[in-house]
């Protein structure tokens, strides 16, 4: 056959977290987009450079280095390549929908808009400081204290004065120790609020709304 007829597949990394929802204790680690041309761990890139990964894959002891074996159809030889995991993935990024990291659309709330996730994989600008709140870093400082409560992290946080006073100071929700919300009545319902603090183990994954 020829290279374009061969299914190259993709290489995924998964990370375990005891605080994830029960149906996704192992969450897929998002890819980084490398040099605006994709990522060698993804099948679309290997279609371009005419090789297949998958003969063998291994991680070193601390999970920072990945080695993969493959085959180059054009030059007719096998090979092993070694990569730094941090060059190809966001290993500390834990989000419900990994495909939304680096998809071209900015998600300005945590857990996507975090340093660990590369500020939504580069879809968003890096945060700016907010005058009067030295530890408050947000995408749009003008939203802090504008009269409208942005009820999500990082805006509604202690560092940002709970959106500059726009949001009520969070209170602990009865029945959920450690779950603090500005609007406890918004917990649960028919629609999942898939961002912290709602979609967390402390808040029962939005009182079960984010569970299958």
């Amino acid at each position: 056959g020829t290279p374009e007829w061969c299914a190259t597949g993709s290489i995924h990394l998964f990370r375990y977290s005891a605080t994830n929802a029960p149906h996704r204790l192992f969450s897929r680690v998002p890819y980084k987009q490398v040099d605006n041309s994709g990522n060698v761990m993804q099948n679309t890139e290997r279609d371009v450079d005419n090789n297949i990964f998958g003969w063998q894959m291994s991680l070193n002891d601390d999970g920072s280095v990945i080695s993969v074996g493959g085959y180059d159809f054009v030059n007719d030889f096998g090979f092993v390549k070694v990569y730094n995991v941090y060059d190809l993935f966001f290993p500390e990024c834990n989000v419900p929908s990994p495909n939304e990291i680096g998809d071209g659309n900015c998600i300005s709330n945590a857990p996507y808009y975090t340093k660990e996730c590369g500020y939504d994989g580069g879809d968003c600008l890096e945060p700016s400081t907010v005058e009067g709140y030295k530890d408050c870093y947000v995408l749009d400082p003008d939203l802090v204290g504008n009269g409208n409560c942005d009820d999500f992290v990082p805006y509604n946080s202690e560092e940002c004065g709970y959106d500059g006073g726009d949001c009520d100071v969070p209170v602990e929700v009865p029945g959920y120790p450690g779950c603090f919300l500005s609007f406890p009545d918004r917990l649960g319902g028919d629609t999942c609020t898939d961002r912290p603090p709602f979609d967390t183990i402390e808040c029962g994954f939005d009182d079960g709304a984010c569970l299958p």
Side-chain angles (χ1 to χ4, degrees):
T2 58
E4 60 268 26
W5 295 346
C6 297
T8 59
S10 296
I11 293 177
H12 300 308
L13 295 183
F14 290 83
R15 189 181 188 97
Y16 173 81
S17 175
T19 60
N20 278 357
H23 65 285
R24 62 175 194 91
L25 290 174
F26 288 88
S27 58
R28 186 169 67 78
V29 179
Y31 296 113
K32 283 185 177 180
Q33 298 305 310
V34 181
D35 298 328
N36 297 317
S37 62
N39 185 311
V40 295
M41 297 289 113
Q42 296 173 282
N43 59 336
T44 51
E45 282 305 296
R46 294 201 303 282
D47 285 338
V48 172
D49 65 13
N50 301 307
N51 63 61
I52 286 181
F53 287 161
W55 284 359
Q56 185 178 20
M57 184 190 79
S58 62
L59 288 167
N60 69 335
D61 289 343
D62 64 6
S64 64
V65 176
I66 183 172
S67 61
V68 289
Y71 188 80
D72 187 316
F73 285 95
V74 171
N75 298 298
D76 191 25
F77 67 86
F79 57 86
V80 174
K81 294 184 178 181
V82 179
Y83 302 95
N84 186 317
V85 168
Y86 285 84
D87 290 339
L88 302 176
F89 297 91
F90 293 102
E92 311 301 329
C93 179
N94 185 352
V95 295
S97 301
N99 289 337
E100 295 187 4
I101 297 290
D103 67 349
N105 298 307
C106 172
I107 302 175
S108 60
N109 58 264
Y112 298 88
Y113 190 71
T114 60
K115 183 178 181 180
E116 292 79 9
C117 294
Y119 303 107
D120 196 18
D123 291 338
C124 304
L125 297 175
E126 292 192 8
S128 301
T129 56
V130 179
E131 185 176 355
Y133 299 95
K134 66 182 181 66
D135 295 321
C136 176
Y137 298 89
V138 298
L139 177 62
D140 187 353
D142 291 338
L143 296 181
V144 177
N146 69 345
N148 298 307
C149 173
D150 297 289
D151 190 19
F152 52 87
V153 178
Y155 294 91
N156 190 10
S157 64
E158 183 177 4
E159 293 79 7
C160 294
Y162 306 109
D163 199 20
D166 292 338
C167 299
D168 294 340
V169 175
V171 297
E172 191 170 40
V173 179
Y176 287 103
C179 175
F180 290 85
L181 300 176
S182 293
F183 304 98
D185 59 319
R186 294 181 181 177
L187 186 68
D190 297 330
T191 303
C192 166
T193 304
D194 62 345
R195 61 177 184 262
F198 293 89
D199 189 17
T200 61
I201 192 170
E202 292 82 6
C203 293
F205 304 105
D206 199 12
D207 193 31
C210 295
L211 299 176

